[in-house]
Amino acid sequence: FARAAAIMAKPLEDSYQTTGISPSAIIAAGAKIHPAATIMAGASVGADSVVGAGAVIGPSVRIGARCRIGATAVLSFAILGDDVDIGAGCVIGEAGFGFEMTTEGAIKVPHLGLVLIGNQVSVGSNCAIDRGSLANTQIGPGVMIDNLCHIAHNVVIGANAIVAGQIGLSGSVHIGERVMMGGQVGVAPHLKIGDGAVLMARSGVTKNVAPGEQVAGFPGVPVRQFWRDQATLRRLAKSAKKGRQG
């Protein structure tokens, strides 16, 4: 399948134009495009949106109204709603890390999906959001994403979720609505995080999380169990210390 998809998936034309706005791009009234930005063929920028210096908007990318695309951000295979804020240096819509192992080594699986970003989403600087493989990567409305986050292919993040800095979401993870994730959280592939769940900072999540549950530690466990385990370890350490002193 990977070999066949690579043959059938042809690159878009006009992908290597010089800096500037393609004649076939659609720029709505009130949009502001920095002279050093690049808007490629068939892309559209909505009313009153701003595209910063050095940003690259790939072919057929759609940007809604009142959006802000930070300097040097690169967008491809993406559709953005209204009032979306993309930080400087973000890369949105590149292929994810998907491959199949063969006796001849790894074969990369072509990614054919999109990145869909809802209204009023904020993405911090230097984030990477991969396009889907066959389905789409989806970021729901009102989601807040901090700096330096990686969101892999086919991830779905529900409305109003909060994602702190340096998190990593593996492929096909499904994050429910109003989920809160602390810094440096990691989630293993294909897991589901229920609505309203809280993943404490540096949690390593290796199994599904129920709605409203709070998780901490690695591997991630319910937060009350985590603190009980920590208290037990402290008591054991104190007991061992007294035994050595005795």
Side-chain angles (χ1 to χ4, degrees):
F1 171 79
R3 291 190 177 102
I7 293 171
M8 293 186 292
K10 301 298 183 182
L12 294 174
E13 296 181 359
D14 195 23
S15 296
Y16 303 100
Q17 69 180 58
T18 58
T19 300
I21 301 174
S22 169
S24 65
I26 301 171
I27 310 300
K32 297 179 180 179
I33 312 297
H34 192 280
T38 299
I39 313 295
M40 294 188 182
S44 62
V45 180
D48 300 315
S49 289
V50 176
V51 179
V56 178
I57 309 303
S60 302
V61 167
R62 300 209 303 262
I63 297 173
R66 300 176 302 281
C67 295
R68 187 191 73 86
I69 310 301
T72 71
V74 179
L75 277 63
S76 55
F77 303 102
I79 299 175
L80 280 59
D82 298 333
D83 302 296
V84 175
D85 192 323
I86 304 296
C90 286
V91 178
I92 296 176
E94 287 293 323
F97 189 61
F99 57 90
E100 291 292 337
M101 291 301 300
T102 72
T103 56
E104 302 170 357
I107 296 177
K108 191 171 183 178
V109 177
H111 284 63
L112 309 176
L114 303 174
V115 176
L116 307 180
I117 298 180
N119 297 335
Q120 299 180 327
V121 169
S122 177
V123 180
S125 61
N126 294 311
C127 291
I129 304 178
D130 296 337
R131 65 188 293 206
S133 52
L134 297 179
N136 298 319
T137 301
Q138 301 179 51
I139 312 298
V143 170
M144 304 287 287
I145 301 174
D146 198 1
N147 303 330
L148 298 169
C149 292
H150 175 226
I151 298 172
H153 61 277
N154 291 38
V155 167
V156 176
I157 301 181
N160 301 311
I162 304 295
V163 181
Q166 297 186 337
I167 64 93
L169 301 181
S170 302
S172 300
V173 165
H174 192 290
I175 304 294
E177 297 183 358
R178 304 179 308 283
V179 170
M180 300 181 67
M181 287 179 275
Q184 297 187 335
V185 164
V187 182
H190 299 279
L191 297 183
K192 293 184 178 180
I193 311 300
D195 294 347
V198 177
L199 310 182
M200 307 293 283
R202 304 191 73 180
S203 299
V205 182
T206 59
K207 60 182 180 180
N208 293 338
V209 176
E213 187 172 5
Q214 297 185 23
V215 169
F218 180 82
V221 295
V223 69
R224 290 185 178 180
Q225 178 183 339
F226 174 80
W227 291 120
R228 285 198 300 268
D229 292 345
Q230 294 298 306
T232 299
L233 289 172
R234 286 194 294 270
R235 287 195 296 269
L236 289 172
K238 289 180 180 179
S239 177
K241 183 178 180 179
K242 289 180 179 179
R244 288 195 300 269
Q245 292 174 346

PDB file of all heavy atoms in Angstrom, residues 112-135:
ATOM      1  N   LEU A 112      -1.788  11.656   3.185  1.00  0.00           N
ATOM      2  CA  LEU A 112      -2.680  12.238   2.200  1.00  0.00           C
ATOM      3  C   LEU A 112      -3.774  13.086   2.823  1.00  0.00           C
ATOM      4  O   LEU A 112      -4.596  13.656   2.112  1.00  0.00           O
ATOM      5  CB  LEU A 112      -3.315  11.129   1.357  1.00  0.00           C
ATOM      6  CG  LEU A 112      -2.331  10.115   0.751  1.00  0.00           C
ATOM      7  CD1 LEU A 112      -3.084   9.016   0.017  1.00  0.00           C
ATOM      8  CD2 LEU A 112      -1.345  10.798  -0.177  1.00  0.00           C
ATOM      9  N   GLY A 113      -3.814  13.170   4.145  1.00  0.00           N
ATOM     10  CA  GLY A 113      -4.857  13.934   4.830  1.00  0.00           C
ATOM     11  C   GLY A 113      -4.481  15.400   5.007  1.00  0.00           C
ATOM     12  O   GLY A 113      -3.491  15.894   4.467  1.00  0.00           O
ATOM     13  N   LEU A 114      -5.307  16.095   5.793  1.00  0.00           N
ATOM     14  CA  LEU A 114      -5.138  17.525   6.031  1.00  0.00           C
ATOM     15  C   LEU A 114      -4.965  17.801   7.526  1.00  0.00           C
ATOM     16  O   LEU A 114      -5.083  16.896   8.356  1.00  0.00           O
ATOM     17  CB  LEU A 114      -6.366  18.291   5.529  1.00  0.00           C
ATOM     18  CG  LEU A 114      -6.762  18.118   4.066  1.00  0.00           C
ATOM     19  CD1 LEU A 114      -8.072  18.831   3.790  1.00  0.00           C
ATOM     20  CD2 LEU A 114      -5.666  18.628   3.149  1.00  0.00           C
ATOM     21  N   VAL A 115      -4.710  19.059   7.837  1.00  0.00           N
ATOM     22  CA  VAL A 115      -4.833  19.570   9.206  1.00  0.00           C
ATOM     23  C   VAL A 115      -6.007  20.534   9.219  1.00  0.00           C
ATOM     24  O   VAL A 115      -6.016  21.513   8.472  1.00  0.00           O
ATOM     25  CB  VAL A 115      -3.559  20.298   9.671  1.00  0.00           C
ATOM     26  CG1 VAL A 115      -3.771  20.891  11.064  1.00  0.00           C
ATOM     27  CG2 VAL A 115      -2.369  19.349   9.680  1.00  0.00           C
ATOM     28  N   LEU A 116      -6.999  20.242  10.046  1.00  0.00           N
ATOM     29  CA  LEU A 116      -8.186  21.092  10.171  1.00  0.00           C
ATOM     30  C   LEU A 116      -8.137  21.785  11.522  1.00  0.00           C
ATOM     31  O   LEU A 116      -8.119  21.122  12.568  1.00  0.00           O
ATOM     32  CB  LEU A 116      -9.460  20.254  10.055  1.00  0.00           C
ATOM     33  CG  LEU A 116      -9.576  19.360   8.813  1.00  0.00           C
ATOM     34  CD1 LEU A 116     -10.894  18.586   8.839  1.00  0.00           C
ATOM     35  CD2 LEU A 116      -9.458  20.183   7.539  1.00  0.00           C
ATOM     36  N   ILE A 117      -8.120  23.112  11.522  1.00  0.00           N
ATOM     37  CA  ILE A 117      -8.010  23.895  12.751  1.00  0.00           C
ATOM     38  C   ILE A 117      -9.258  24.748  12.898  1.00  0.00           C
ATOM     39  O   ILE A 117      -9.599  25.528  12.000  1.00  0.00           O
ATOM     40  CB  ILE A 117      -6.747  24.771  12.743  1.00  0.00           C
ATOM     41  CG1 ILE A 117      -5.500  23.866  12.663  1.00  0.00           C
ATOM     42  CG2 ILE A 117      -6.692  25.662  13.970  1.00  0.00           C
ATOM     43  CD1 ILE A 117      -4.185  24.617  12.654  1.00  0.00           C
ATOM     44  N   GLY A 118      -9.965  24.591  14.031  1.00  0.00           N
ATOM     45  CA  GLY A 118     -11.227  25.287  14.251  1.00  0.00           C
ATOM     46  C   GLY A 118     -11.061  26.747  14.612  1.00  0.00           C
ATOM     47  O   GLY A 118      -9.943  27.273  14.720  1.00  0.00           O
ATOM     48  N   ASN A 119     -12.186  27.404  14.836  1.00  0.00           N
ATOM     49  CA  ASN A 119     -12.186  28.826  15.181  1.00  0.00           C
ATOM     50  C   ASN A 119     -11.544  29.075  16.541  1.00  0.00           C
ATOM     51  O   ASN A 119     -11.640  28.252  17.453  1.00  0.00           O
ATOM     52  CB  ASN A 119     -13.623  29.363  15.217  1.00  0.00           C
ATOM     53  CG  ASN A 119     -14.303  29.292  13.873  1.00  0.00           C
ATOM     54  OD1 ASN A 119     -13.651  29.287  12.826  1.00  0.00           O
ATOM     55  ND2 ASN A 119     -15.624  29.236  13.877  1.00  0.00           N
ATOM     56  N   GLN A 120     -10.890  30.217  16.657  1.00  0.00           N
ATOM     57  CA  GLN A 120     -10.345  30.718  17.928  1.00  0.00           C
ATOM     58  C   GLN A 120      -9.329  29.775  18.563  1.00  0.00           C
ATOM     59  O   GLN A 120      -9.229  29.668  19.780  1.00  0.00           O
ATOM     60  CB  GLN A 120     -11.482  31.017  18.911  1.00  0.00           C
ATOM     61  CG  GLN A 120     -12.436  32.086  18.404  1.00  0.00           C
ATOM     62  CD  GLN A 120     -13.563  32.375  19.364  1.00  0.00           C
ATOM     63  OE1 GLN A 120     -14.024  31.485  20.075  1.00  0.00           O
ATOM     64  NE2 GLN A 120     -14.008  33.618  19.399  1.00  0.00           N
ATOM     65  N   VAL A 121      -8.569  29.100  17.728  1.00  0.00           N
ATOM     66  CA  VAL A 121      -7.470  28.257  18.216  1.00  0.00           C
ATOM     67  C   VAL A 121      -6.204  29.095  18.313  1.00  0.00           C
ATOM     68  O   VAL A 121      -5.929  29.938  17.455  1.00  0.00           O
ATOM     69  CB  VAL A 121      -7.248  27.056  17.279  1.00  0.00           C
ATOM     70  CG1 VAL A 121      -5.947  26.322  17.611  1.00  0.00           C
ATOM     71  CG2 VAL A 121      -8.433  26.099  17.361  1.00  0.00           C
ATOM     72  N   SER A 122      -5.422  28.850  19.366  1.00  0.00           N
ATOM     73  CA  SER A 122      -4.130  29.522  19.532  1.00  0.00           C
ATOM     74  C   SER A 122      -3.030  28.464  19.568  1.00  0.00           C
ATOM     75  O   SER A 122      -3.087  27.526  20.361  1.00  0.00           O
ATOM     76  CB  SER A 122      -4.110  30.333  20.829  1.00  0.00           C
ATOM     77  OG  SER A 122      -2.842  30.927  21.017  1.00  0.00           O
ATOM     78  N   VAL A 123      -2.044  28.623  18.692  1.00  0.00           N
ATOM     79  CA  VAL A 123      -0.912  27.691  18.631  1.00  0.00           C
ATOM     80  C   VAL A 123       0.357  28.487  18.906  1.00  0.00           C
ATOM     81  O   VAL A 123       0.665  29.443  18.190  1.00  0.00           O
ATOM     82  CB  VAL A 123      -0.821  27.004  17.251  1.00  0.00           C
ATOM     83  CG1 VAL A 123       0.360  26.042  17.213  1.00  0.00           C
ATOM     84  CG2 VAL A 123      -2.117  26.266  16.931  1.00  0.00           C
ATOM     85  N   GLY A 124       1.106  28.114  19.936  1.00  0.00           N
ATOM     86  CA  GLY A 124       2.311  28.833  20.314  1.00  0.00           C
ATOM     87  C   GLY A 124       3.425  28.672  19.297  1.00  0.00           C
ATOM     88  O   GLY A 124       3.310  27.944  18.304  1.00  0.00           O
ATOM     89  N   SER A 125       4.533  29.317  19.555  1.00  0.00           N
ATOM     90  CA  SER A 125       5.643  29.311  18.601  1.00  0.00           C
ATOM     91  C   SER A 125       6.345  27.959  18.556  1.00  0.00           C
ATOM     92  O   SER A 125       6.365  27.198  19.523  1.00  0.00           O
ATOM     93  CB  SER A 125       6.645  30.404  18.976  1.00  0.00           C
ATOM     94  OG  SER A 125       7.171  30.176  20.269  1.00  0.00           O
ATOM     95  N   ASN A 126       6.898  27.676  17.376  1.00  0.00           N
ATOM     96  CA  ASN A 126       7.727  26.482  17.150  1.00  0.00           C
ATOM     97  C   ASN A 126       7.005  25.169  17.460  1.00  0.00           C
ATOM     98  O   ASN A 126       7.603  24.237  17.995  1.00  0.00           O
ATOM     99  CB  ASN A 126       9.029  26.577  17.946  1.00  0.00           C
ATOM    100  CG  ASN A 126       9.924  27.689  17.461  1.00  0.00           C
ATOM    101  OD1 ASN A 126      10.179  27.818  16.263  1.00  0.00           O
ATOM    102  ND2 ASN A 126      10.389  28.529  18.381  1.00  0.00           N
ATOM    103  N   CYS A 127       5.745  25.103  17.116  1.00  0.00           N
ATOM    104  CA  CYS A 127       4.996  23.854  17.235  1.00  0.00           C
ATOM    105  C   CYS A 127       4.983  23.125  15.889  1.00  0.00           C
ATOM    106  O   CYS A 127       5.094  23.758  14.832  1.00  0.00           O
ATOM    107  CB  CYS A 127       3.556  24.117  17.670  1.00  0.00           C
ATOM    108  SG  CYS A 127       3.395  24.704  19.364  1.00  0.00           S
ATOM    109  N   ALA A 128       4.836  21.796  15.934  1.00  0.00           N
ATOM    110  CA  ALA A 128       4.707  20.994  14.723  1.00  0.00           C
ATOM    111  C   ALA A 128       3.398  20.217  14.800  1.00  0.00           C
ATOM    112  O   ALA A 128       3.174  19.467  15.757  1.00  0.00           O
ATOM    113  CB  ALA A 128       5.882  20.043  14.578  1.00  0.00           C
ATOM    114  N   ILE A 129       2.540  20.407  13.810  1.00  0.00           N
ATOM    115  CA  ILE A 129       1.272  19.681  13.726  1.00  0.00           C
ATOM    116  C   ILE A 129       1.262  18.957  12.388  1.00  0.00           C
ATOM    117  O   ILE A 129       1.227  19.587  11.320  1.00  0.00           O
ATOM    118  CB  ILE A 129       0.064  20.628  13.845  1.00  0.00           C
ATOM    119  CG1 ILE A 129       0.137  21.436  15.145  1.00  0.00           C
ATOM    120  CG2 ILE A 129      -1.233  19.838  13.775  1.00  0.00           C
ATOM    121  CD1 ILE A 129      -0.992  22.438  15.313  1.00  0.00           C
ATOM    122  N   ASP A 130       1.308  17.626  12.430  1.00  0.00           N
ATOM    123  CA  ASP A 130       1.413  16.835  11.208  1.00  0.00           C
ATOM    124  C   ASP A 130       0.055  16.626  10.547  1.00  0.00           C
ATOM    125  O   ASP A 130      -0.970  16.492  11.232  1.00  0.00           O
ATOM    126  CB  ASP A 130       2.010  15.462  11.520  1.00  0.00           C
ATOM    127  CG  ASP A 130       3.436  15.549  12.039  1.00  0.00           C
ATOM    128  OD1 ASP A 130       4.098  16.571  11.761  1.00  0.00           O
ATOM    129  OD2 ASP A 130       3.875  14.601  12.711  1.00  0.00           O
ATOM    130  N   ARG A 131       0.053  16.555   9.230  1.00  0.00           N
ATOM    131  CA  ARG A 131      -1.172  16.227   8.502  1.00  0.00           C
ATOM    132  C   ARG A 131      -1.526  14.758   8.726  1.00  0.00           C
ATOM    133  O   ARG A 131      -0.689  13.934   9.104  1.00  0.00           O
ATOM    134  CB  ARG A 131      -0.992  16.505   7.009  1.00  0.00           C
ATOM    135  CG  ARG A 131       0.041  15.631   6.344  1.00  0.00           C
ATOM    136  CD  ARG A 131       0.369  16.035   4.917  1.00  0.00           C
ATOM    137  NE  ARG A 131      -0.743  15.847   4.009  1.00  0.00           N
ATOM    138  CZ  ARG A 131      -0.609  15.643   2.702  1.00  0.00           C
ATOM    139  NH1 ARG A 131       0.610  15.607   2.157  1.00  0.00           N
ATOM    140  NH2 ARG A 131      -1.649  15.483   1.930  1.00  0.00           N
ATOM    141  N   GLY A 132      -2.793  14.419   8.479  1.00  0.00           N
ATOM    142  CA  GLY A 132      -3.224  13.037   8.641  1.00  0.00           C
ATOM    143  C   GLY A 132      -2.668  12.133   7.554  1.00  0.00           C
ATOM    144  O   GLY A 132      -2.203  12.584   6.506  1.00  0.00           O
ATOM    145  N   SER A 133      -2.719  10.829   7.811  1.00  0.00           N
ATOM    146  CA  SER A 133      -2.286   9.863   6.798  1.00  0.00           C
ATOM    147  C   SER A 133      -3.399   9.661   5.785  1.00  0.00           C
ATOM    148  O   SER A 133      -3.331  10.132   4.654  1.00  0.00           O
ATOM    149  CB  SER A 133      -1.859   8.549   7.449  1.00  0.00           C
ATOM    150  OG  SER A 133      -2.864   8.075   8.328  1.00  0.00           O
ATOM    151  N   LEU A 134      -4.474   8.969   6.182  1.00  0.00           N
ATOM    152  CA  LEU A 134      -5.647   8.848   5.322  1.00  0.00           C
ATOM    153  C   LEU A 134      -6.782   9.724   5.840  1.00  0.00           C
ATOM    154  O   LEU A 134      -7.494  10.353   5.068  1.00  0.00           O
ATOM    155  CB  LEU A 134      -6.097   7.388   5.236  1.00  0.00           C
ATOM    156  CG  LEU A 134      -5.083   6.436   4.607  1.00  0.00           C
ATOM    157  CD1 LEU A 134      -5.624   5.016   4.592  1.00  0.00           C
ATOM    158  CD2 LEU A 134      -4.692   6.873   3.199  1.00  0.00           C
ATOM    159  N   ALA A 135      -6.962   9.764   7.152  1.00  0.00           N
ATOM    160  CA  ALA A 135      -7.922  10.702   7.758  1.00  0.00           C
ATOM    161  C   ALA A 135      -7.217  12.035   7.980  1.00  0.00           C
ATOM    162  O   ALA A 135      -6.103  12.255   7.522  1.00  0.00           O
ATOM    163  CB  ALA A 135      -8.456  10.124   9.066  1.00  0.00           C
TER     164      ALA A 135
END
